[in-house]
Amino acid sequence: MNLDQILDQRKIIVTCGTGGVGKTTVSAALALRSALRGYKTLVITIDPAKRLVTSLGLKELGDKPTDLTPLLANLKLSSGMKPGGSLHALMPDTRTTFENFVNNLSSDPTVAERVMRNPIYQIFAKEFSGTNEFMALERLWSLWNQGEYDRIILDTPPSRNTLTFLEAPKLLGRFFDENFIRWLVLPTNKLVSETMKRALSILEKLTGTGFMSSLFDFANALFEIRARFSANLKRIMELLGSENVGFLMITTPTPEAVPEVSLFIDNLKKNHFQFDGMTLNRTLSHLHADASGKSAPETDAIAVIRSLQNRETYVIERLKKEGIPICATLPELARDIHSLEDLAHVAMALVPDSPI
């Protein structure tokens, strides 16, 4: 399938990839293309570097959707077409999402207040591995539940490992596991209890008086909301596994891409998620020796380009041999994306044989 066909089939598209491959730019371009095709579209990003803000030519994005539709009217598309849909963008504040998350889980407001006032919560909400990823899914679920948008593009948090996004919900789920919290609150094994007390006493000396009591109080509060969390996590995972959701991988044509995408697909299959294809970004196959297509003198620069093109061809052949679908290829751009006009060029290049 090409990306237009994927946009027509899926209501939610989750873009994944390691940091530095242009994932946020591709996500924004895909959202713009969706809007141009007539869908009311929302693009969500969890990106501390604020690349989406730059790509859209904005000064900032907030925790509530920003309507960019008025800006689309000024776009000058080569096809002469005007947008039939609308474009909205959102960069959730993880802390705000987490606080809303805890409030929604707590049947008693005093329990939520206990959690959020606890010093351990401050550390947990900011530093716990997987928090950003899970909060992205939590916000996705909330927006999907509202039913306001035809299409949602989720640009996953930047990571060195593509699989981090898939593992985060399970990691956070294990933290909320009843047995773990019971062990923390009421350790029955005397040896474990004494060992934990010694460890916590050291931490208390390092972090200040009250650490142990704060930790136990935090665990007790979590114990009260664990059931609701588990139910929420189940609903999110069911949504991700439904036919409404498709996963795209964004990468560059390097040899590392082949084993990485293979592992990614295997993990999607284990979770019963739908893999729709991959987009190869920053390709060089469009470059020629010179404008006329004739051979040019073999300078060092041309030799480097030819070497990279050969590597790119090798990667594409390996991907095809593995049966991995490539739904789009995007050329290396001469400059960064800093406006909707720039982004429109990328959006058009996503499916080059179709105006929209």
Side-chain angles (χ1 to χ4, degrees):
M1 292 191 294
N2 63 33
L3 287 174
D4 281 347
Q5 293 168 324
I6 293 171
L7 279 170
D8 290 340
Q9 181 175 342
R10 308 294 187 194
K11 295 184 178 180
I12 297 174
I13 297 175
V14 182
T15 59
C16 299
T18 55
V21 296
K23 177 170 56 65
T24 297
T25 298
V26 174
S27 300
L30 185 60
L32 176 55
R33 188 170 185 93
S34 174
L36 294 173
R37 286 176 60 77
Y39 295 114
K40 183 176 183 181
T41 305
L42 173 68
V43 56
I44 308 172
T45 187
I46 310 287
D47 185 1
K50 299 185 178 180
R51 295 180 185 87
L52 181 60
V53 177
T54 302
S55 297
L56 294 170
L58 303 175
K59 292 183 178 180
E60 62 179 359
L61 275 176
D63 190 61
K64 295 182 179 179
T66 299
D67 188 358
L68 303 174
T69 311
L71 300 177
L72 300 186
N74 299 323
L75 285 178
K76 296 180 181 179
L77 302 175
S78 58
S79 64
M81 294 184 65
K82 295 296 180 181
S86 61
L87 178 62
H88 308 256
L90 167 69
M91 189 163 66
D93 178 74
T94 301
R95 185 179 184 85
T96 301
T97 303
F98 207 158
E99 289 177 358
N100 291 336
F101 169 66
V102 173
N103 277 315
N104 291 335
L105 289 182
S106 307
S107 55
D108 183 351
T110 59
V111 174
E113 188 176 354
R114 276 176 58 205
V115 172
M116 288 185 284
R117 282 189 176 182
N118 192 292
I120 305 301
Y121 165 80
Q122 310 299 329
I123 300 172
F124 180 84
K126 184 178 180 181
E127 303 293 344
F128 188 80
S129 177
T131 300
N132 278 351
E133 288 81 358
F134 184 79
M135 287 305 106
L137 291 175
E138 177 64 28
R139 195 59 185 275
L140 174 66
W141 165 257
S142 175
L143 289 162
W144 163 258
N145 227 19
Q146 293 171 17
E148 187 176 345
Y149 299 97
D150 301 325
R151 297 293 181 269
I152 300 177
I153 312 298
L154 175 61
D155 170 37
T156 57
S159 172
R160 292 182 181 178
N161 186 345
T162 307
L163 300 177
T164 300
F165 180 75
L166 299 179
E167 297 299 327
K170 295 178 182 178
L171 184 62
L172 197 57
R174 285 197 292 270
F175 183 87
F176 275 84
D177 180 74
E178 177 178 347
N179 292 330
F180 172 78
I181 297 178
R182 280 187 181 278
W183 177 82
L184 186 60
V185 179
L186 298 169
T188 55
N189 184 296
K190 291 184 179 180
L191 179 62
V192 172
S193 179
E194 290 302 317
T195 302
M196 188 167 68
K197 284 180 180 178
R198 285 197 298 271
L200 292 177
S201 65
I202 295 173
L203 285 171
E204 187 161 28
K205 290 178 182 178
L206 295 174
T207 58
T209 305
F211 176 84
M212 286 178 64
S213 60
S214 294
L215 180 61
F216 286 127
D217 186 62
F218 180 60
N220 271 304
L222 289 183
F223 191 73
E224 295 183 40
I225 65 175
R226 74 193 187 285
R228 287 172 176 257
F229 169 82
S230 298
N232 223 37
L233 177 59
K234 183 180 179 181
R235 286 194 294 266
I236 290 173
M237 299 306 283
E238 286 175 349
L239 171 62
L240 293 179
S242 72
E243 292 294 325
N244 289 313
V245 182
F247 284 77
L248 293 178
M249 184 172 178
I250 316 299
T251 189
T252 52
T254 60
E256 297 79 17
V258 181
E260 183 181 30
V261 71
S262 296
L263 185 59
F264 179 68
I265 293 172
D266 287 343
N267 275 269
L268 286 179
K269 289 180 178 178
K270 289 178 183 177
N271 287 282
H272 306 290
F273 297 160
Q274 318 296 323
F275 178 69
D276 285 335
M278 62 182 300
T279 294
L280 281 178
N281 194 25
R282 298 174 181 163
T283 62
L284 299 174
S285 58
H286 63 291
L287 296 178
H288 299 287
D290 63 10
S292 65
K294 297 178 181 179
S295 297
E298 188 74 6
T299 63
D300 289 344
I302 291 177
V304 170
I305 291 173
R306 291 190 193 283
S307 175
L308 292 174
Q309 287 176 329
N310 290 336
R311 186 182 71 173
E312 183 178 306
T313 300
Y314 168 74
V315 170
I316 292 174
E317 288 177 351
R318 282 192 60 191
L319 289 170
K320 289 180 178 178
K321 186 176 181 180
E322 294 287 332
I324 298 172
I326 301 173
C327 53
T329 58
L330 291 170
E332 178 73 65
L333 300 176
R335 57 190 175 90
D336 291 336
I337 305 297
H338 291 295
S339 67
L340 271 178
E341 286 75 14
D342 292 341
L343 199 62
H345 289 293
V346 181
M348 302 300 285
L350 288 172
V351 189
D353 56 345
S354 172
I356 281 296

